[in-house]
Every structure is written in structure tokens, then in C-alpha cells.
Amino acid sequence: MPKYIDVAFPAAVRRTFTYHTTPELEEEIEAGKRVWVPFRNYYAIGVIVNAHDKKPEFNTKSLRKILDSQSILSEELLKLTKWVSRFYYSSWGETIQAALPAGLNFVSKKNLKVEKVSEGEDFTKEEMEVLTELQQKKTSLKEAKKRWQGTSLNKVFHQLLKKKRIEIWEEPDLKVTVATEREWSWADDKHAASALEFIRSDEVNSSHKWVLALQRLTEIGLPKRQSVLGDEEILTPYTLKKLQDEKWIQYKEVEKNNSLGDTLHYNPDSIKTLNSDQQAAFQAVNKSLQKREFANYLLYGITGSGKTEVYIHALQEAIEKGKGGIVLVPEIALTPQTVSRFYRIFGDEIAVLHSRMTSRERLHAWKDLESGKKKIAIGPRSAVFAPVNNLGLIILDEEHDSSYKQMDPSPRYHARETAIMRANINNAVVVMGSATPSMQSLHMAAKGKCTMLELPERHANATLPNVEVLDLKEYKSAMRGELTVALYQAIEEALEKDEQIILLYNRRGFANYLQCEGCGHIPQSPDCSVSLTYHKQKNLLLCHYSGYSRRADTHCEMCGSAHLKVQGSGTQKVEAELEELFPEAVSIRFDRDSTSRKGEHERILSTFGEHKADILIGTQLVAKGLDFPNVTVVGVVNADTELAFPSFQSTERMYQLLSQVAGRSGRGKKPGTVYIQTRQPGNPAIQYAKKHDHKGFSREEMGFRKPLDYPPYSRLIRFVIKSSKDHQARRGAELLRMIAENVVPDMPILGPSPAAISWMNKKYIWEVLLKVDPEKGATYIEALVDKIMEIYEDQSKGQISGVRVNINVDAIQ
Ligand SMILES: [Zn+2]
Ligand SMILES: [Zn+2]
């Protein structure tokens, strides 16, 4: 039996702590269980990551309690989280925390614990008063401090705490709220028959909406849940309320049902036969599934070519072999539409995981997967850690999507690389799908690290839409607000035909930029070729990669024009203008602000899908995975804001965005047109998107990145240095650069420089960027950053204060 355990805590400290076990607990020791151990001055919750007999050189403290009867993390997930923590330089505990659903993780509260007063103990009257109160009522440390602060017992309480007569214990803080919904039934003394009698009587105007709704209810039958009634167009919350007011129906709140089956349809026979391209792709994947060995595929299929059908066939094969699967989709694409396509074939084998679920729902889904009750997990980024048994297949849909990379907090992992590693551990197969594969994946394919499979044909009769590029320089006076006359007229025509419109504008919060009104040029950093940001106070143009800066130009460096305009976020007033331009149309907004509430995202999309709104306006979110057959006009209000984003990736992002937006239009029988408004009509992103030529674009983009050593020809490690004092942050960044130069003399280093958003949450932010050989793995990255940070800790001590350093490996943006 193991005598020692190594425990990881969900703190930023990148090490584990060793404790000794006790004879009575020895038997239950197992890696992956949570434990209570003394940590600093309290009892903390950690997870056992290793059990062994190797006596450390220091004195160990004793394990107090084991919290789980079964491991909550399999050996496989321990291995994976360990790899993530090394590869992305996070702490193992933080990574485990991120992998686990709330309720199973370490989110905890510090509570006080008081042992019963025994015979021999001698306490003063005041001490007894404190102890008795704490014994009677469960109290947190915070509550107790507040309780006795400023009272005569405050000192007594703190002394008891110091003597450890009162102990501090962390306890899992399981904030599970029960999600409820309304269940509608007939009101007292009412029923379907009485309702019908009422409807048929003479005094009723049967054209009233609520009367029609009442009739519909007699057909459907009650009681029914809101989630079911909500599917009926006529049964809006308003009509239901009206029927309630008229005393026909009533509701009670019932716990929401987790089963997907209530609203989705299970029909495994509806699986579609594959066309020849799909069949060829499926056969390749299937061969690897049969061999039960690791393989990685890039499924490159233009929008509408039917990638999902290939996923479904591959999944079915895996399930038949007794394997499990994970389907990763961008958070925003995890709509009921997406889920229903998989549900139709796999039914209750599916567990959905996403951030808008309650903790309880997520815990439920997690347990169903862990126990093997469900075999397929569908979810965003974090579902790469789903405890699917006997994993055989991981699908990464829209693999180029930036939401697969976690930015903050740590672990800043990328789901693509993590999925590949997980498949490696399990001898499983990865299928990465995209219509616009990332440069990373294309590079992998070129180097033979994954196999490209192509779906070149668009499905059925759908045709690629026409793309019109509208040069804003030529429309100077012919503008309706932010819209060129051409786009304005297209919208007007579509509205007349009762067709729908999607308008996209960019509202990413970042600094301003300068643009020439004559030729559309945006000044770029001479060394890094990223757009320069404009700093108003100092009248400077600044590169946030290299730190390069110059006084803001007075004349365009390309055409000499003196008409340079400061552009930036917040300059677009599209939404407000629409009402004036098209007073008869109903517009609906879709962006992060409007979709942060639970269920709101689905509501907006279904409102638009049901054509209760004519125009959907949104940020880049609208480009992702939405499918509306009645949309014939898609307008990009200002493409340049994306191009101006100070990142080596901005052109690729722009290209992906435009291609996807183009894919949104004309998905049904009606042909669609995409209008792109820009001052840079010749930009490669726009030109290739117009031709739907991803190969051409990627060739040009790779040619741009190679000489500059941008990914995929390097991996970027970004050190982010934050402080409430600008000069401290700058000194920290300078020191880091110096150290990095010494540690790796031949490695390209950029910075220090202020971040693109150089002041956030009352902190100044500076950056240093390292370009690392992309062939290097976890061991190298960890050793390199360890060394830099060790020297930094040492040399900054007493010199630099109030500075925090975050590390972001594979930093994109
Ligand atoms: Zn110019
Ligand atoms: Zn630069």
C-alpha cells in the first residue's frame, strides 16, 4: 500500500505537495480522488495525482480525509491534464479544475469546525460562548469574522483559531440550482371539452389569437411543459398569459427535464446515404477506426458539402465497435439545430455539455458519460475533457475557430492540440473539419502529420453565393449612414420580397487605427507586418508585437494623401440607423452582450429562423454555423476593422469570416448575394473569399508568414506582464526580455511593448513574445519557461513589485 501521496491544488503554483497517508486510509488511496489535507493554516481540498512509497527528504504532514469513494478522474484524464499543464505552462491543479464540471471540482468555501469539548478541557466563559455557538451552527470563516468583529469576543475567537481549537476546513461549495420550467394544465373546473364548447359558442370572436391558441391546446392536450408548447408558433408566452388571465389554464413550476428526447426526434433510420466524396472520406476514417490506432484527419469540405454526414457515419461505426466519441463544436454553434442532427441518429447515447447549462445539468451529463450510460459527448472546447469511456473518435468541427483556444484564465489550452494528444493516449481517431482550414492544420497536412480528405462539391442544389465587393472610397456621397447605396438597395429589395438579411459589423473592443481615405492603406509595423495601433494622447502609431513606434503619419505612406482618418471601435452606429433607414422592418441584434443570458442565444436565433424578424445584425458571431434558408442578402458593414486588428492572423481571420458569412447566404433554393464594404478591395482576404478559393489564399498567407517566422512556422509564447503601475510593468517586461535573450540566444524575441489593449481592469499590460521552434514539445516548452521564470523570480525580487506574469503558449491574436 502506498505510504505517500502527491496532491495538486487549484492554485497557480506549478508543483504538487507530498503528504503521508495513515494506516486506516491507506486502502482507499487512489490517484484521481479528492482529499482534505493541511495546507498553510487550514485544511484544503486537493486531488491525488500520484501515490507512491518514496519517502521525501522533508517532513510530511498527514492526510486527513479522502473525499471520494471513487476516483473522479481516470488515469487517462490525469495523464491528459498533466500534459496540458506542461505544454501550456499552467498548474496541474488548475488544469484539473478546468476539466471537471462544477460540483466535482475544487470550488470551495472555508468553514469552521469545532471538536466537542471533552471532560478534561478547561475553558473560560467567553471561550465556551464562542465554541458553543460554532458547534450549534455551521459557520464559514468569513461569517465568523464578521460575527465577532468589533465585539469583546473577537480576540477570544482569533486565539482559539490560532491554537487550532477551531479548525478551518474547505468544503466543496456545490452551487447547484434546480432549473425549472412551467407546466401548463387546465385551470380548475376547465377542460378540453369546456374549452371547445366555449370556442363554438356564438359570443366568441374566433379570429382572436388567444382563441386560436385555446383551440390548439384542446388538440395538443394538457398538461404540457413550456419547452414543448414553445415549439408551437401560436402559443407564445403572450397568448399563454392571456389564456391564464382568462382563467382557462394555470401553471406550476416543475424541475426541468434533462432528457433531450422531449423536444428532439429520434429516428436512426433517417441516416443519409453518403455521396461518393463523402463515402471516400468516411472509408479513410473507417479504416483507421478498424485498425484501432491513432490517426488524424483534416476533413476539408466547402460550406454545405455535408461534413456532418461524414461525422455521423464515423461516429456510428465507432459506437458499433463499442467505442465512445466526442464531438467538439464552437460554443456559439452549439445550437439546438446542431444537437438535433446528432440526436436523430444517436438518441439518448448523447450527453450535451455547454456553459449555459446549470451546474447540476453539467454534473448529470458528466456522470452519465463516466458511468458509460452515455457514449457521445457534444460540447465546446472544454468537452475535450469529457469522461467518455473507451474513446474511439474525436470530431473537431470548424477546427479553425478561435474559440477552441482558451485565453483567460489559465490553463490557456487549445482544444485541437489537446484532442490530438487525447486521441494519441487512446489510440483513437481525430477528424478535424473545416471549410477554411487553419494554417496550422494545413501545415500539419503538408508535413504528413495528418491526412487531408476533401469534399469539393456543394450539397444538393445549393449554389455558392455571389460576392460583391463595394469599395467605400467610391461611395463617398452615395451613402445611407454606414451603408452604401448598393447594399441599401439590396436590403430594400429583399424586404419587398419578404426575404431576410444578415448584417455583420465588427465591434471587437480594441484600440484605434489610422486609415487613408484615398487608397485605404492602414499603416503597418515595418518589422512585423501587423497593423499599427493609434494612440491618441501621444499621437503615436505603435506596434504591440515589437514595441516599434513613430509619430502618427500626416500623409499616407502609400499614396501621399493627407486625408488620414482615425477609425476604431464604436464608430458604427448601424443598429440605430437601421430603424431610420427601414422603419417597417423588424431588426434583431445578436452579439456577446445580447446572448450572455441563458437561453437568449437560442431565442434570438429561433425568432429569426421563424421569420419573426427581417434583419439580424451581429458581430462575427453570426457567421458561425447558422443556417437560414430565407436569407438572401448578407452585408459586411466594414471589413477593414478586422484587417486592422493588430495581429499576424488578422488576414486569415478576415478570410475565414468572409467565407463563412458567404456560406450563410443562399443555403436554400434562393440564390444569395454577399456584400462586402471595404476601403481595401484588393486585399487578398477579400479577393480570395470572393472567388471561394481557400487554397489560393492559404498559399499566399503561408508565403507571408514563413519569412517572418509566424505560426505555423513557429509557436508563439507570450509573456503578459501586468501591474497597476505602468513603469513597474515595463521594467518587468524589460527584465523578462533580457533573461529570455540569455536563456535562448538564437531565438527571435519581440518586445517589450504595451499590449494591444494596454490598460484593462486598472492594470497596465506589457508583452514579450517568443518565437519557438514548432517541432518542440511539452518537455522543451516547460523547461524553457521554467528556466526563464526561475531567473526572473530571482532577479526581480526586491527590484520590481506588484507585477504579475501570465504565460500564454500558442498565443493567437
Ligand atoms: Zn493612401
Ligand atoms: Zn512590429
Side-chain angles (χ1 to χ4, degrees), residues 516-521 556-561 564:
C516 170
E517 290 200 289
C519 71
H521 177 70
C556 172
E557 57 185 343
M558 295 301 280
C559 73
S561 159
L564 299 182

mmCIF file with all atom_site columns, all heavy atoms in Angstrom, residues 516-521 556-561 564, ligand 1:
data_model
loop_
_atom_site.group_PDB
_atom_site.id
_atom_site.type_symbol
_atom_site.label_atom_id
_atom_site.label_alt_id
_atom_site.label_comp_id
_atom_site.label_asym_id
_atom_site.label_entity_id
_atom_site.label_seq_id
_atom_site.pdbx_PDB_ins_code
_atom_site.Cartn_x
_atom_site.Cartn_y
_atom_site.Cartn_z
_atom_site.occupancy
_atom_site.B_iso_or_equiv
_atom_site.pdbx_formal_charge
_atom_site.auth_seq_id
_atom_site.auth_comp_id
_atom_site.auth_asym_id
_atom_site.auth_atom_id
_atom_site.pdbx_PDB_model_num
ATOM   1  N  N   . CYS A 1 516 ? -6.024  55.569 -44.564 1.00 0.00 ? 516 CYS A N   1
ATOM   2  C  CA  . CYS A 1 516 ? -6.006  56.577 -45.617 1.00 0.00 ? 516 CYS A CA  1
ATOM   3  C  C   . CYS A 1 516 ? -7.334  56.544 -46.373 1.00 0.00 ? 516 CYS A C   1
ATOM   4  O  O   . CYS A 1 516 ? -7.754  55.492 -46.838 1.00 0.00 ? 516 CYS A O   1
ATOM   5  C  CB  . CYS A 1 516 ? -4.846  56.310 -46.578 1.00 0.00 ? 516 CYS A CB  1
ATOM   6  S  SG  . CYS A 1 516 ? -4.912  57.331 -48.059 1.00 0.00 ? 516 CYS A SG  1
ATOM   7  N  N   . GLU A 1 517 ? -7.950  57.688 -46.481 1.00 0.00 ? 517 GLU A N   1
ATOM   8  C  CA  . GLU A 1 517 ? -9.231  57.722 -47.186 1.00 0.00 ? 517 GLU A CA  1
ATOM   9  C  C   . GLU A 1 517 ? -9.037  57.673 -48.692 1.00 0.00 ? 517 GLU A C   1
ATOM   10 O  O   . GLU A 1 517 ? -9.953  57.347 -49.432 1.00 0.00 ? 517 GLU A O   1
ATOM   11 C  CB  . GLU A 1 517 ? -10.009 58.984 -46.807 1.00 0.00 ? 517 GLU A CB  1
ATOM   12 C  CG  . GLU A 1 517 ? -10.498 58.935 -45.378 1.00 0.00 ? 517 GLU A CG  1
ATOM   13 C  CD  . GLU A 1 517 ? -11.637 59.914 -45.152 1.00 0.00 ? 517 GLU A CD  1
ATOM   14 O  OE1 . GLU A 1 517 ? -11.358 61.121 -45.142 1.00 0.00 ? 517 GLU A OE1 1
ATOM   15 O  OE2 . GLU A 1 517 ? -12.780 59.452 -45.016 1.00 0.00 ? 517 GLU A OE2 1
ATOM   16 N  N   . GLY A 1 518 ? -7.810  58.000 -49.117 1.00 0.00 ? 518 GLY A N   1
ATOM   17 C  CA  . GLY A 1 518 ? -7.523  57.983 -50.559 1.00 0.00 ? 518 GLY A CA  1
ATOM   18 C  C   . GLY A 1 518 ? -7.355  56.581 -51.098 1.00 0.00 ? 518 GLY A C   1
ATOM   19 O  O   . GLY A 1 518 ? -8.007  56.185 -52.054 1.00 0.00 ? 518 GLY A O   1
ATOM   20 N  N   . CYS A 1 519 ? -6.462  55.778 -50.451 1.00 0.00 ? 519 CYS A N   1
ATOM   21 C  CA  . CYS A 1 519 ? -6.176  54.449 -51.004 1.00 0.00 ? 519 CYS A CA  1
ATOM   22 C  C   . CYS A 1 519 ? -6.573  53.314 -50.065 1.00 0.00 ? 519 CYS A C   1
ATOM   23 O  O   . CYS A 1 519 ? -6.449  52.147 -50.410 1.00 0.00 ? 519 CYS A O   1
ATOM   24 C  CB  . CYS A 1 519 ? -4.697  54.335 -51.367 1.00 0.00 ? 519 CYS A CB  1
ATOM   25 S  SG  . CYS A 1 519 ? -3.589  54.242 -49.956 1.00 0.00 ? 519 CYS A SG  1
ATOM   26 N  N   . GLY A 1 520 ? -7.012  53.627 -48.871 1.00 0.00 ? 520 GLY A N   1
ATOM   27 C  CA  . GLY A 1 520 ? -7.471  52.576 -47.954 1.00 0.00 ? 520 GLY A CA  1
ATOM   28 C  C   . GLY A 1 520 ? -6.362  51.955 -47.128 1.00 0.00 ? 520 GLY A C   1
ATOM   29 O  O   . GLY A 1 520 ? -6.600  51.058 -46.321 1.00 0.00 ? 520 GLY A O   1
ATOM   30 N  N   . HIS A 1 521 ? -5.136  52.414 -47.301 1.00 0.00 ? 521 HIS A N   1
ATOM   31 C  CA  . HIS A 1 521 ? -3.998  51.824 -46.601 1.00 0.00 ? 521 HIS A CA  1
ATOM   32 C  C   . HIS A 1 521 ? -4.090  52.019 -45.077 1.00 0.00 ? 521 HIS A C   1
ATOM   33 O  O   . HIS A 1 521 ? -4.488  53.062 -44.593 1.00 0.00 ? 521 HIS A O   1
ATOM   34 C  CB  . HIS A 1 521 ? -2.720  52.477 -47.131 1.00 0.00 ? 521 HIS A CB  1
ATOM   35 C  CG  . HIS A 1 521 ? -1.477  52.018 -46.441 1.00 0.00 ? 521 HIS A CG  1
ATOM   36 N  ND1 . HIS A 1 521 ? -0.965  50.757 -46.594 1.00 0.00 ? 521 HIS A ND1 1
ATOM   37 C  CD2 . HIS A 1 521 ? -0.645  52.660 -45.568 1.00 0.00 ? 521 HIS A CD2 1
ATOM   38 C  CE1 . HIS A 1 521 ? 0.129   50.631 -45.857 1.00 0.00 ? 521 HIS A CE1 1
ATOM   39 N  NE2 . HIS A 1 521 ? 0.342   51.786 -45.220 1.00 0.00 ? 521 HIS A NE2 1
ATOM   40 N  N   . CYS A 1 556 ? -0.271  59.808 -46.150 1.00 0.00 ? 556 CYS A N   1
ATOM   41 C  CA  . CYS A 1 556 ? -0.259  58.369 -46.393 1.00 0.00 ? 556 CYS A CA  1
ATOM   42 C  C   . CYS A 1 556 ? 1.079   57.936 -46.987 1.00 0.00 ? 556 CYS A C   1
ATOM   43 O  O   . CYS A 1 556 ? 1.556   58.548 -47.945 1.00 0.00 ? 556 CYS A O   1
ATOM   44 C  CB  . CYS A 1 556 ? -1.396  58.003 -47.333 1.00 0.00 ? 556 CYS A CB  1
ATOM   45 S  SG  . CYS A 1 556 ? -1.326  56.286 -47.863 1.00 0.00 ? 556 CYS A SG  1
ATOM   46 N  N   . GLU A 1 557 ? 1.684   56.900 -46.420 1.00 0.00 ? 557 GLU A N   1
ATOM   47 C  CA  . GLU A 1 557 ? 2.986   56.439 -46.923 1.00 0.00 ? 557 GLU A CA  1
ATOM   48 C  C   . GLU A 1 557 ? 2.854   55.741 -48.284 1.00 0.00 ? 557 GLU A C   1
ATOM   49 O  O   . GLU A 1 557 ? 3.842   55.520 -48.963 1.00 0.00 ? 557 GLU A O   1
ATOM   50 C  CB  . GLU A 1 557 ? 3.666   55.510 -45.903 1.00 0.00 ? 557 GLU A CB  1
ATOM   51 C  CG  . GLU A 1 557 ? 2.816   54.306 -45.525 1.00 0.00 ? 557 GLU A CG  1
ATOM   52 C  CD  . GLU A 1 557 ? 3.426   53.442 -44.412 1.00 0.00 ? 557 GLU A CD  1
ATOM   53 O  OE1 . GLU A 1 557 ? 4.621   53.564 -44.141 1.00 0.00 ? 557 GLU A OE1 1
ATOM   54 O  OE2 . GLU A 1 557 ? 2.667   52.645 -43.839 1.00 0.00 ? 557 GLU A OE2 1
ATOM   55 N  N   . MET A 1 558 ? 1.664   55.382 -48.648 1.00 0.00 ? 558 MET A N   1
ATOM   56 C  CA  . MET A 1 558 ? 1.479   54.701 -49.931 1.00 0.00 ? 558 MET A CA  1
ATOM   57 C  C   . MET A 1 558 ? 1.164   55.664 -51.061 1.00 0.00 ? 558 MET A C   1
ATOM   58 O  O   . MET A 1 558 ? 1.750   55.606 -52.128 1.00 0.00 ? 558 MET A O   1
ATOM   59 C  CB  . MET A 1 558 ? 0.333   53.673 -49.844 1.00 0.00 ? 558 MET A CB  1
ATOM   60 C  CG  . MET A 1 558 ? 0.583   52.527 -48.906 1.00 0.00 ? 558 MET A CG  1
ATOM   61 S  SD  . MET A 1 558 ? 2.046   51.558 -49.332 1.00 0.00 ? 558 MET A SD  1
ATOM   62 C  CE  . MET A 1 558 ? 1.342   50.553 -50.640 1.00 0.00 ? 558 MET A CE  1
ATOM   63 N  N   . CYS A 1 559 ? 0.187   56.593 -50.823 1.00 0.00 ? 559 CYS A N   1
ATOM   64 C  CA  . CYS A 1 559 ? -0.254  57.429 -51.931 1.00 0.00 ? 559 CYS A CA  1
ATOM   65 C  C   . CYS A 1 559 ? -0.025  58.924 -51.684 1.00 0.00 ? 559 CYS A C   1
ATOM   66 O  O   . CYS A 1 559 ? -0.276  59.743 -52.557 1.00 0.00 ? 559 CYS A O   1
ATOM   67 C  CB  . CYS A 1 559 ? -1.732  57.175 -52.234 1.00 0.00 ? 559 CYS A CB  1
ATOM   68 S  SG  . CYS A 1 559 ? -2.832  57.880 -51.006 1.00 0.00 ? 559 CYS A SG  1
ATOM   69 N  N   . GLY A 1 560 ? 0.453   59.250 -50.507 1.00 0.00 ? 560 GLY A N   1
ATOM   70 C  CA  . GLY A 1 560 ? 0.759   60.643 -50.227 1.00 0.00 ? 560 GLY A CA  1
ATOM   71 C  C   . GLY A 1 560 ? -0.424  61.509 -49.842 1.00 0.00 ? 560 GLY A C   1
ATOM   72 O  O   . GLY A 1 560 ? -0.276  62.688 -49.540 1.00 0.00 ? 560 GLY A O   1
ATOM   73 N  N   . SER A 1 561 ? -1.597  60.916 -49.801 1.00 0.00 ? 561 SER A N   1
ATOM   74 C  CA  . SER A 1 561 ? -2.788  61.694 -49.467 1.00 0.00 ? 561 SER A CA  1
ATOM   75 C  C   . SER A 1 561 ? -2.709  62.228 -48.033 1.00 0.00 ? 561 SER A C   1
ATOM   76 O  O   . SER A 1 561 ? -2.147  61.589 -47.150 1.00 0.00 ? 561 SER A O   1
ATOM   77 C  CB  . SER A 1 561 ? -4.031  60.805 -49.611 1.00 0.00 ? 561 SER A CB  1
ATOM   78 O  OG  . SER A 1 561 ? -5.093  61.350 -48.851 1.00 0.00 ? 561 SER A OG  1
ATOM   79 N  N   . LEU A 1 564 ? -6.016  61.286 -43.724 1.00 0.00 ? 564 LEU A N   1
ATOM   80 C  CA  . LEU A 1 564 ? -5.907  60.104 -42.885 1.00 0.00 ? 564 LEU A CA  1
ATOM   81 C  C   . LEU A 1 564 ? -6.986  60.201 -41.810 1.00 0.00 ? 564 LEU A C   1
ATOM   82 O  O   . LEU A 1 564 ? -7.144  61.233 -41.182 1.00 0.00 ? 564 LEU A O   1
ATOM   83 C  CB  . LEU A 1 564 ? -4.522  60.023 -42.231 1.00 0.00 ? 564 LEU A CB  1
ATOM   84 C  CG  . LEU A 1 564 ? -3.342  59.917 -43.211 1.00 0.00 ? 564 LEU A CG  1
ATOM   85 C  CD1 . LEU A 1 564 ? -2.039  59.789 -42.440 1.00 0.00 ? 564 LEU A CD1 1
ATOM   86 C  CD2 . LEU A 1 564 ? -3.517  58.733 -44.139 1.00 0.00 ? 564 LEU A CD2 1
HETATM 87 ZN ZN  . ZN  B 2 .   ? -3.167  56.356 -49.243 1.00 0.00 ? 1   ZN  B ZN  1
#
